[in-house]
Amino acid sequence: MTESAKYQNRIELLQGTLDMLILQALQRESTHGYAIAQMIRSRSGEVLTVETGSLYPALHRLERQNWVRSEWKLTESKQRAKYYQLTALGRKQLASNHQRWLQLVRAIGAVMEPEVQQ
Amino acid sequence: MRRPWDRAKEDLSEELEFHLKMAISERVARGEDPAQARTAALRELGNMPLIEDVTRERWGWMWLENLLRDTRYAVRGFRRNPLFTISVLVTLALGIGSTTAVFSVVDRILFRPLPYANADRIVSLGFVHSLERQEFVMGRFYVEWQKEQTAFSALTAQSTGVHNCDLVEDNPAQLGCISFQANFLPLFGISPFLGRNFLPEEDRPNGPRVVMISYGLWKSHYNSDPNILGRMINVDGHFVRIVGVLPKDFQLPTLETADIVTPFALDPAVQQTVNGGFGYPERVFTRLKPGVSVAQAYAQMKPLFNGDLKRFPPSAKNEVHLSIRTLRDKETQDVRPVAWVLFGFVLAVLLMACTNVAGLMMARGAGRQRELAVRSAIGASRGRLIRQALTEALLLSFAGGLAGLALSQALVMVFVRLAPTGIPFISKAHLDLRIAVFAALLSCLCGLIFGLTAALEKPALAALNAKASMSRSRAFLRRTLVTAQLAVSIILLSGAVLLLRSFANIEQENLGMQTDGVLTMKVALPWWRYNTDQKIMDFYLRLESSLKRLPGTFAVGMATSIPPEAGGSQSFRYSDLQVEGKPPVPPGVGGTVTGRSVTPDYFRALNIPIVRGRNFAEQDRTGGEREAILSRLLAARLFPGEDPIGKRFKSDGFQGHAGMIIVGVADNVKNNGLTDQSDPEMYTLRRNVPSDWSGNRLIVVIHSAMPASAIAPWVRSEVVSIDRTVPVEIEPLNQTISRMADRPRFETTLLGFFALTGLMLAVIGLYGLISFITTQRRHEIGVRMALGATRGNILGLIATDGLRMVGVGLVLGLGTALAVSRMLKSLLFQVSAYDPLTYIVVPLLLSLAALIAILIPARAGMRVDPAVTLRAE
């Protein structure tokens, strides 16, 4: 498998989830790519690491789908950075993704631990 | 110029750069050493250009950017390597161009359906014999066959040939007329463009006089008048009504062109009585019943035919055969051998073009291994490399294809211009786009496949530091391809040289007569006005005496035909001759004798020597005796070792003759076309007796001291002063003869062109390979020279390599050429298919060309400077 294909596949594997994680990270405020990666990492207790090679293609794709919007701003340390912001469409998408994900978790939980459900 | 995506790309780089900076500063903030932090962050980030690539792909318009960039790279690459580019383009142009052009011509002859419904079920049916190889049926038998045959669903008849007819009106014209039956058009599945077909009641003896006219006549003579139907026109003095206009693409199955068609009006009763009870000959076409093959039809017709044979005179029985063949066979039989040979040549050239493109692409691929390895190492994905190779191949193919199309268009025009009359369909040949696309696709496919293999192979790490090198198997493949090309080129060249030799023989053929300063005039008297032999004789005798009075005229002769044309209808069988006091020749033995009825000056006008006895004299024309002159060949055949002068003979062919006396022997002339074996010939005198002048076509031969261009108007005005409505065709005899050689000239030109194309392709291939090998071995050559090899050694080293391929190619090619040259036999004239000279000249020619192709790159190799190549390492 070529290297390029490796990246592609990883995006593929994470696709739905990664999109949801990114949208969730942008729910409160707009921020740049690095912060998004950090946020996902720290909130997941260092379990989920988003590769740069997945993050930016995903961000650019989300932007193309009009789920996020971007603009260049200065950071607190006065550096130029590209900030991403959730759009109304993105919010709707996040809600539905979240909903689906909850369903999935419940369903998987029911399969894995039926006694808990009863 | 800043493109929109350049801005976006910079943004992306900046975004990633920022990411990197943040990662580093965070690591530094955690207390890492700045340099270490940077390394770690970079490693974590991964392959930056690749990430950029993948990210950019999300934008969706990457493909356009890539395409433009790949194109730019490709063009830059082509410019850096013009030799490669030109070789590929020339190869593609030649391959696609010549293939398409010739295929466009041959296609109609070999593969295109005839313009009739279910044309493969239509057959030509009839008798053939040695003097008439196109099927004909005597009217009596046709009437019987219509009733008794079982193999065909329908039979239809057409008159034997187009005859001249006159359109009499304010704007008179001489036209071609023919007649066919009312069921003729339906059988061929044709309906008139305007109006209607003949009605059954019109296709009867003494029916209403109606005609159909051709689309061409309707358009040119009647300005496409939409109200033409029902108009009365005067044809040969009779008023007839136009009932239909034939379709534009209508074509008679005999490939003749006619302007006016009249109903055939077959009268069964008349057919039983006229022409000795045989009826008039006609051409018969039929449609096979479903499921009946030509062979079955033949078997079913055979008993009927055998019954008919009983009516023939015994002498004719062995001569006449039944013939049934499909229309396509009838129309294309004599051009088919040359069409197949051409087709073979075309395929060979196309294959050579393909192998050439493949070889060149492989060489380029091998030469670029290093470049590919580098690009892959700095992050180019496999997809990108393949796309790049694809773009290059497509670009080349496109350009080559365009050049090829232009070339083929030009070639088709040249072919049609060059083509002699009598090659069916050639005037209809036009650039066939399907074929062009096919040829282009095939050559491009070769390029693509071999161009891609290089890119598809995983770039080896070794290629990064090694010199460009070709894998052993691929080198072997390329050598094999080039050797095969050389072999094929030998085959093509031998074929072309054989034809060239044959053509030279035709040109140098001794005709047995003089052609310089001789003018011929074909006269066709309108038969409806010159309707008695007396009127015809009066016209010609007047013409003869007025032409003789023209200044500068040496002799004026008249004959039904002139050599090297055969005598036509006046030919007869050798066995028809009966010499007084000798046993008759058994029927069917001895072949054909050409007969010509001539005036006394015929021999002087053509300068045919009388080798024995005397020429016809003026007073013979009015005498009671019937004189004849034999050709030397006939005299030797009839009277071996005897003096033929004064001998008498009779002939079946000339019924009612009291017998003829032989007064002289003339030298042989070519009388069976330029290329066929001459027949024995008998000249009879055209006396001043009306029956000797029957038939309304005659050729006048004028031998004059004046140049043809000067005398032609005078000759024409002499005809006009006798009868201004008589159409004549005037032509210098050597022009007529040269036209007869048009066909072999055409074939020779065409095949010669192909052979040269093939040679060129083979040489390009060889040259490309040798120069490639030389470039590859630069380093090795440098080392050898540093170690003391002389330039001569180096030259030898490279040349031996090439010559080995040439040698193997020569042997293989010669062997194959000798094996397949038999196929050319029917096209060759007085040259053996194993002509030694050809098989000496061709290898020499090829070796010479190959030597040049080897020496140029070898010389470049010789000039390698060891100091430079060794340092380049």
Side-chain angles (χ1 to χ4, degrees), chain B residues 307-609:
Chain B
D308 298 338
L309 215 49
K310 296 196 183 94
R311 295 181 179 275
F312 279 87
S315 66
K317 273 185 185 165
N318 292 332
E319 288 267 336
V320 180
H321 305 283
L322 177 66
S323 165
I324 301 181
R325 48 183 181 159
T326 64
L327 200 52
R328 177 179 291 280
D329 280 350
K330 174 185 163 64
E331 290 189 358
T332 63
Q333 207 144 47
D334 20 305
V335 280
R336 218 180 283 175
V338 76
W340 277 116
V341 169
L342 263 179
F343 189 57
F345 269 50
V346 164
L347 279 188
V349 166
L350 188 60
L351 281 181
M352 283 172 87
C354 281
T355 47
N356 246 4
V357 173
L360 286 162
M361 284 300 199
M362 269 177 357
R364 181 160 168 80
R368 293 178 61 189
Q369 266 179 13
R370 184 149 181 247
E371 180 201 332
L372 292 181
V374 170
R375 292 182 58 186
S376 155
I378 59 176
S381 66
R382 291 300 298 287
R384 293 239 358 92
L385 292 184
I386 291 170
R387 216 155 39 210
Q388 172 74 46
L390 210 66
T391 312
E392 272 185 18
L394 284 179
L395 217 58
L396 273 182
S397 314
F398 190 66
L402 275 188
L405 273 186
L407 182 67
S408 62
Q409 179 63 55
L411 284 176
V412 166
M413 271 151 63
V414 171
F415 290 166
V416 171
R417 177 74 55 85
L418 268 181
T421 47
I423 290 193
F425 314 122
I426 190 143
S427 57
K428 295 208 178 81
H430 53 88
L431 187 65
D432 191 321
L433 272 182
R434 299 170 312 156
I435 307 306
V437 168
F438 169 75
L441 277 184
L442 190 61
S443 348
C444 296
L445 209 64
C446 300
L448 224 58
I449 290 169
F450 288 91
L452 275 182
T453 43
L456 279 176
E457 229 166 67
K458 194 173 169 62
L461 210 58
L464 269 179
N465 44 28
K467 307 283 301 172
S469 69
M470 191 152 64
S471 74
R472 186 169 287 205
S473 67
R474 207 177 297 161
F476 177 73
L477 180 59
R478 242 199 119 186
R479 268 162 210 275
T480 316
L481 287 182
V482 168
T483 311
Q485 277 188 335
L486 290 167
V488 172
S489 157
I490 286 267
I491 302 170
L492 298 189
L493 271 179
S494 331
V497 172
L498 281 176
L499 275 179
L500 199 67
R501 300 247 304 138
S502 148
F503 180 63
N505 285 346
I506 293 172
E507 291 276 86
Q508 284 160 16
E509 182 72 19
N510 179 15
L511 295 171
M513 59 177 188
Q514 86 179 347
T515 58
D516 290 333
V518 178
L519 206 64
T520 63
M521 172 165 66
K522 280 187 192 155
V523 184
L525 295 177
W527 59 271
W528 57 282
R529 275 197 292 120
Y530 289 85
N531 48 6
T532 65
D533 293 345
Q534 182 70 46
K535 287 184 189 169
I536 297 171
M537 181 178 85
D538 290 348
F539 173 86
Y540 283 118
L541 289 181
R542 251 184 94 186
L543 182 63
E544 186 187 26
S545 65
S546 65
L547 289 177
K548 271 184 180 164
R549 284 197 303 270
L550 282 181
T553 307
F554 296 135
V556 176
M558 294 188 184
T560 34
S561 59
I562 50 168
E565 247 175 76
S569 60
Q570 293 207 317
S571 295
F572 53 94
R573 294 176 195 85
Y574 180 75
S575 50
D576 292 343
L577 287 172
Q578 266 185 296
V579 178
E580 258 182 35
K582 289 204 175 196
V585 180
V589 174
T592 312
V593 177
T594 295
R596 255 185 258 271
S597 161
V598 302
T599 57
D601 266 358
Y602 173 83
F603 296 96
R604 287 212 295 131
L606 288 174
N607 203 9
I608 300 171

Side-chain angles (χ1 to χ4, degrees), chain B residues 769-826:
Chain B
L769 181 58
I770 299 289
S771 56
F772 173 70
I773 292 174
T774 313
T775 320
Q776 271 201 331
R777 293 173 78 175
R778 272 180 110 75
H779 180 64
E780 178 202 332
I781 293 169
V783 172
R784 281 175 188 264
M785 286 179 97
L787 291 179
T790 63
R791 301 201 152 181
N793 294 143
I794 301 301
L795 186 67
L797 181 75
I798 299 168
T800 321
D801 200 28
L803 287 177
R804 201 176 305 136
M805 280 186 272
V806 175
V808 176
L810 277 184
V811 171
L812 284 178
L814 275 180
T816 322
L818 280 169
V820 299
S821 60
R822 268 180 307 117
M823 287 162 48
L824 285 174
K825 216 169 185 175
S826 63

Side-chain angles (χ1 to χ4, degrees), chain B residues 139-152 154-155 266 268-269 271-272 289 301 304:
Chain B
R140 176 197 193 100
F141 302 130
Y142 177 60
V143 173
E144 289 170 8
W145 288 2
Q146 271 184 316
K147 284 185 226 137
E148 292 164 32
Q149 64 82 22
T150 51
F152 310 107
L155 278 80
L266 182 80
Q271 299 294 342
Q272 308 283 337
K289 276 185 182 163
M301 286 305 294
L304 275 177

Side-chain angles (χ1 to χ4, degrees), chain A residues 2-4 7-8 11 32-34 37-38 41 51-61 64 72 75 77 79-84, chain B residues 7 10-12 14-16 18-24 26-27 30 44-47 50-51 54-61 381-382:
Chain A
T2 65
E3 267 182 79
S4 144
Y7 277 104
Q8 307 259 19
I11 294 162
H32 48 75
Y34 184 78
Q38 290 306 311
R41 194 156 83 180
E51 300 273 354
T52 328
S54 309
L55 176 65
Y56 285 94
L59 273 172
H60 283 246
R61 181 169 39 73
R64 206 173 146 236
W72 286 89
T75 61
S77 51
Q79 288 184 20
R80 245 169 72 81
K82 199 178 184 187
Y83 276 71
Y84 292 87
Chain B
R7 160 115 210 120
E10 279 164 24
D11 278 1
L12 177 60
E14 201 181 334
E15 192 178 2
L16 289 175
F18 172 77
H19 187 105
L20 183 65
K21 258 192 272 176
M22 292 296 284
I24 295 169
E26 199 181 273
R27 276 172 190 272
R30 268 189 299 198
E44 207 176 71
L45 195 67
N47 186 341
L50 187 57
I51 295 173
V54 174
T55 307
R56 280 209 308 273
E57 266 164 34
R58 308 290 141 198
W59 294 349
W61 34 267
S381 66
R382 291 300 298 287

